[in-house]
């Protein structure tokens, strides 16, 4: 950054002057933004000393199977659930998958969206135990208006749904470190939501946290709206309440697909998140090893509400800053973001819990959509359940070409989703179309680089390479 040669104090003074011209954001948002820039310019981030990293113990990261059973008495279960709030991170748009509007309204299965499934899960839970677990949605300025319209469909639901917005920060022009909206870029492109680490100050600043505590709520379960495995788990909640853990991160065993995911370590006597961006270059290969770093962060977090309030008001949540450079409308800009998982080191008695892989089922791309729409899963009372006929603990590896990237194109190219219970991997290249009642087993590669391929109805492909022409070669 050109202006970074100036003294940080001078830059901050200039930024405050520029922010004075902007009335689209609140004073608390301005303060939060300036604090982030100040920390970024002073570069006071603590550097991880590789030699001090220790693997977490079973006390730091508790195996899920070691948790006590949830209470069997319905009254005790109700008392437990009445301490809980479920918060879904709902700030993302479905642009990666070619959709407009909030990602949570993409149809996942049987005409139901992410949001439909989440609402159904909590309605069933509350009805079963007579509890009142509310749904809280953290929207961004990108998703807030659309979400409010969508929520009208649940107006007759018994579920208490609360929405609030995460902060809106100005993008920084890289050339001089000034807020882009103060230079006239006041439309949506001039702003950004500063990452899900903002959930904590946004909860406090919006007064939603005060409202929840006044209702007797003690814990918030935070998860991405697109993680279909992130359902309420009574064993986890029971453990946290009994042991007075202020923060819990769900982790799960790494596979080769997860090698870049953040992991939990023991560092100077505290459990801490280690992200790949913090790893010295010479140790990146070691970090990606699934033998040394065996677990990764699912971003399913359980946090004590009063502890959040205290730490936010003290200004103690100084999570590592993630600089995110972008080019928008030909201008090089910078977004400074934080991640909620990095807050673990600031909470007392924080732990990880090593959960089954079934609690991590995100839908980030149409390849994930193929998995959850297939016979690999069924939906029961809003929860996505894995087919017991699948004996492998791992899901098939799906690699679909760019022709399938957008949800609309994906749906057009499949007359029906194939059976994949016995599939190990699928790679699709080029202009490929699928008929009905197709079964895929073992390893399947369909390569249409040379010409269009239509897989006929009722085809069974097992360990086959499919290329244009009438015959299939064995793999």
């Amino acid at each position: 950054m050109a202006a970074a040669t100036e003294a940080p104090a001078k830059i901050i003074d200039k930024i405050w002057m520029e922010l004075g011209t902007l009335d689209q954001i609140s004073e608390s948002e301005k303060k939060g933004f300036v604090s982030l820039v100040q920390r970024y310019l002073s570069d006071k981030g603590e550097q991880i000393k590789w030699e001090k990293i220790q693997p977490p113990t079973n006390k730091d990261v508790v195996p899920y199977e070691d948790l006590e059973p949830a209470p069997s008495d319905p009254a005790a279960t109700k008392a437990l659930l009445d301490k809980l709030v479920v918060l879904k991170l709902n700030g993302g748009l479905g642009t990666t998958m070619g959709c407009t509007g909030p990602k949570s309204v993409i149809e996942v299965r049987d005409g139901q969206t992410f949001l439909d499934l989440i609402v159904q899960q909590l309605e069933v839970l509350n009805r079963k135990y007579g509890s009142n677990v509310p749904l809280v949605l953290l929207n961004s300025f990108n998703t807030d208006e659309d979400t409010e319209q969508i929520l009208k469909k649940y107006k007759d639901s018994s579920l208490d749904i609360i929405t609030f917005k995460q902060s809106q920060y100005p993008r920084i022009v890289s050339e001089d470190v000034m807020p882009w909206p103060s230079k006239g870029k006041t439309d949506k492109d001039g702003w950004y939501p500063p990452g899900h680490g903002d959930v904590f100050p946004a909860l406090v600043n919006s007064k939603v946290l005060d409202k929840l505590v006044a209702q007797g709520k003690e814990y918030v379960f935070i998860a991405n709206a697109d993680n279909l495995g992130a359902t309420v788990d009574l064993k986890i909640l029971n453990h946290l309440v009994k042991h007075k853990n202020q923060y819990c991160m769900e982790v799960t065993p790494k596979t080769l697909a997860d090698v870049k995911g953040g992991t939990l370590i023991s560092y100077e006597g505290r459990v801490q998140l280690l992200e790949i961006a913090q790893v010295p270059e010479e140790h990146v290969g070691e970090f990606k090893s699934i033998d040394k770093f065996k677990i990764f962060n699912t971003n399913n977090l359980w946090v004590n509400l009063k502890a959040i309030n205290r730490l936010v008001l003290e200004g103690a949540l100084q999570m590592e800053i993630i600089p995110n450079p972008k080019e928008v409308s030909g201008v090089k800009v910078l977004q400074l973001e934080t991640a909620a998982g990095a807050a673990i080191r600031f909470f007392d008695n924080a732990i990880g819990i090593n959960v089954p892989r079934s609690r991590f089922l995100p839908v980030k791309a149409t390849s994930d959509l193929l998995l959850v729409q297939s016979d690999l899963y069924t939906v029961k009372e809003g929860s996505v359940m894995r087919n017991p006929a699948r004996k492998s603990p791992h899901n098939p590896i799906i690699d679909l070409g760019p022709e399938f990237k957008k949800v609309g194109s994906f749906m057009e190219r499949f007359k029906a989703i194939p059976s994949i219970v016995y599939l190990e991997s699928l790679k699709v290249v080029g202009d490929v179309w699928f008929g009905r009642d197709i079964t895929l087993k073992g390893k399947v590669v369909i390569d249409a680089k040379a010409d269009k391929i239509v897989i006929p109805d009722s085809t069974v492909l097992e360990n086959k390479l499919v290329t244009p022409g009438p015959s299939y070669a064995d793999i």
Side-chain angles (χ1 to χ4, degrees):
M1 280 193 180
T5 52
E6 275 191 79
K10 270 193 171 183
I11 297 172
I12 295 300
D13 285 344
K14 282 185 185 176
I15 289 174
W16 270 121
M17 284 177 63
E18 298 291 348
L19 290 177
T21 67
L22 303 175
D23 56 8
Q24 295 98 323
I25 56 174
S26 66
E27 284 306 310
S28 62
E29 285 172 314
K30 290 176 183 178
K31 283 178 186 172
F33 170 69
V34 171
S35 171
L36 210 52
V37 176
Q38 208 160 15
R39 287 205 293 128
Y40 174 70
L41 291 176
S42 58
D43 195 27
K44 286 184 178 171
E46 294 177 34
Q47 299 299 310
I48 291 278
K49 293 186 170 58
W50 195 256
E51 64 279 5
K52 288 189 174 184
I53 291 174
Q54 297 292 324
T57 64
N58 278 6
K59 188 182 168 196
D60 296 325
V61 177
V62 181
Y64 183 81
E65 55 272 21
D66 288 0
L67 301 180
E68 290 177 44
S72 53
D73 174 28
T77 302
K78 177 186 182 305
L80 203 56
L81 285 171
D82 282 341
K83 299 176 190 290
L84 183 66
V85 179
V86 170
L87 189 157
K88 297 291 181 173
L89 302 170
N90 189 50
L93 294 167
T95 46
T96 309
M97 295 165 74
C99 298
T100 57
K103 187 178 179 185
S104 57
V105 298
I106 292 174
E107 286 189 10
V108 179
R109 192 179 171 111
D110 306 329
Q112 293 183 295
T113 66
F114 291 103
L115 209 46
D116 291 336
L117 295 174
I118 292 163
V119 168
Q120 197 180 332
Q121 287 164 21
L122 292 177
E123 286 175 338
V124 168
L125 189 72
N126 286 334
R127 196 160 55 239
K128 183 175 181 181
Y129 294 104
S131 53
N132 180 26
V133 178
L135 172 62
V136 179
L137 297 175
L138 175 64
N139 300 327
S140 67
F141 62 87
N142 288 316
T143 61
D144 192 53
E145 284 182 24
D146 286 344
T147 300
E148 292 299 335
Q149 290 300 313
I150 291 154
L151 291 179
K152 289 176 182 175
K153 73 188 281 192
Y154 310 115
K155 66 181 187 304
D156 297 325
S157 169
S158 57
L159 183 65
D160 184 15
I161 303 178
I162 301 164
T163 63
F164 71 113
K165 270 201 303 188
Q166 75 182 105
S167 301
Q168 178 174 328
Y169 286 177
R171 281 177 163 150
I172 300 164
V173 177
S174 299
E175 189 181 18
D176 60 2
V177 205
M178 288 297 114
W180 201 13
S182 67
K183 296 172 178 284
K185 191 67 173 174
T186 52
D187 63 8
K188 278 192 174 181
D189 279 352
W191 307 89
Y192 76 100
H196 47 65
D198 183 60
V199 63
F200 303 121
L203 262 173
V204 174
N205 294 334
S206 64
K207 306 297 182 190
V208 168
L209 189 142
D210 289 342
K211 178 182 174 182
L212 296 170
V213 170
Q215 293 174 0
K217 305 303 180 188
E218 294 181 20
Y219 279 89
V220 57
F221 172 43
I222 302 170
N224 294 336
D226 66 5
N227 181 4
L228 295 170
T231 56
V232 171
D233 189 294
L234 288 165
K235 280 175 68 171
I236 295 176
L237 179 60
N238 184 53
H239 183 90
L240 303 181
V241 170
K242 273 195 170 183
H243 295 269
K244 296 183 169 57
N245 302 107
Q246 289 188 358
Y247 187 111
C248 167
M249 176 188 289
E250 292 184 37
V251 293
T252 200
K254 260 188 189 183
T255 68
L256 291 173
D258 316 305
V259 292
K260 293 182 179 179
T263 190
L264 284 184
I265 57 172
S266 180
Y267 192 80
E268 295 184 333
R270 290 180 83 89
V271 66
Q272 186 166 328
L273 181 67
L274 177 66
E275 297 276 17
I276 192 166
Q278 298 169 275
V279 177
E281 199 174 329
E282 64 272 21
H283 294 290
V284 166
E286 201 178 334
F287 175 83
K288 289 181 177 178
S289 161
I290 60 175
D291 296 321
K292 178 162 184 178
F293 295 99
K294 300 175 188 292
I295 53 175
F296 76 99
N297 172 22
T298 65
N299 217 37
N300 295 348
L301 311 171
W302 303 72
V303 196
N304 180 277
L305 287 166
K306 287 184 177 174
I308 292 172
N309 194 50
R310 176 178 58 81
L311 290 168
V312 168
L313 294 179
E314 289 174 357
L317 290 179
Q318 305 280 302
M319 284 96 83
E320 289 81 9
I321 295 170
I322 305 160
N324 185 3
K326 289 180 177 285
E327 187 164 319
V328 182
S329 305
V331 177
K332 289 184 177 174
V333 295
L334 182 68
Q335 300 178 182
L336 301 179
E337 302 171 11
T338 60
I344 189 168
R345 63 193 179 100
F346 301 107
F347 288 83
D348 293 333
N349 203 13
I351 59 167
I353 292 180
N354 194 350
V355 299
R357 183 79 185 198
S358 57
R359 291 192 57 75
F360 184 68
L361 186 59
V363 178
K364 302 292 184 192
T366 50
S367 53
D368 302 318
L369 209 51
L370 174 59
L371 291 174
V372 298
Q373 291 187 349
S374 74
D375 57 351
L376 202 55
Y377 291 95
T378 55
V379 175
K380 184 180 178 187
E381 297 179 332
S383 294
V384 179
M385 319 288 287
R386 203 158 187 266
N387 187 339
R390 174 80 178 182
K391 300 306 178 191
S392 167
H394 305 301
N395 278 346
I397 296 165
I398 309 289
D399 182 1
L400 301 177
E403 294 81 1
F404 292 80
K405 183 177 181 181
K406 294 184 176 180
V407 173
S409 307
F410 169 85
M411 300 302 286
E412 283 175 3
R413 288 174 177 274
F414 287 98
K415 277 192 193 172
I417 300 297
S419 169
I420 61 169
V421 172
Y422 303 105
L423 180 69
E424 285 179 52
S425 64
L426 170 67
K427 183 178 176 69
V428 179
V429 179
D431 187 12
V432 178
W433 299 77
F434 291 81
R436 297 184 185 281
D437 302 318
I438 290 168
T439 301
L440 306 177
K441 299 180 178 181
K443 296 177 179 177
V444 177
V445 176
I446 305 171
D447 188 343
K449 275 197 299 248
D451 199 0
K452 175 180 176 178
I453 293 177
V454 178
I455 308 296
D457 294 354
S458 305
T459 301
V460 177
L461 296 175
E462 183 171 4
N463 295 322
K464 295 292 182 186
L465 167 63
V466 181
T467 52
S471 61
Y472 302 148
D474 291 336
I475 290 182

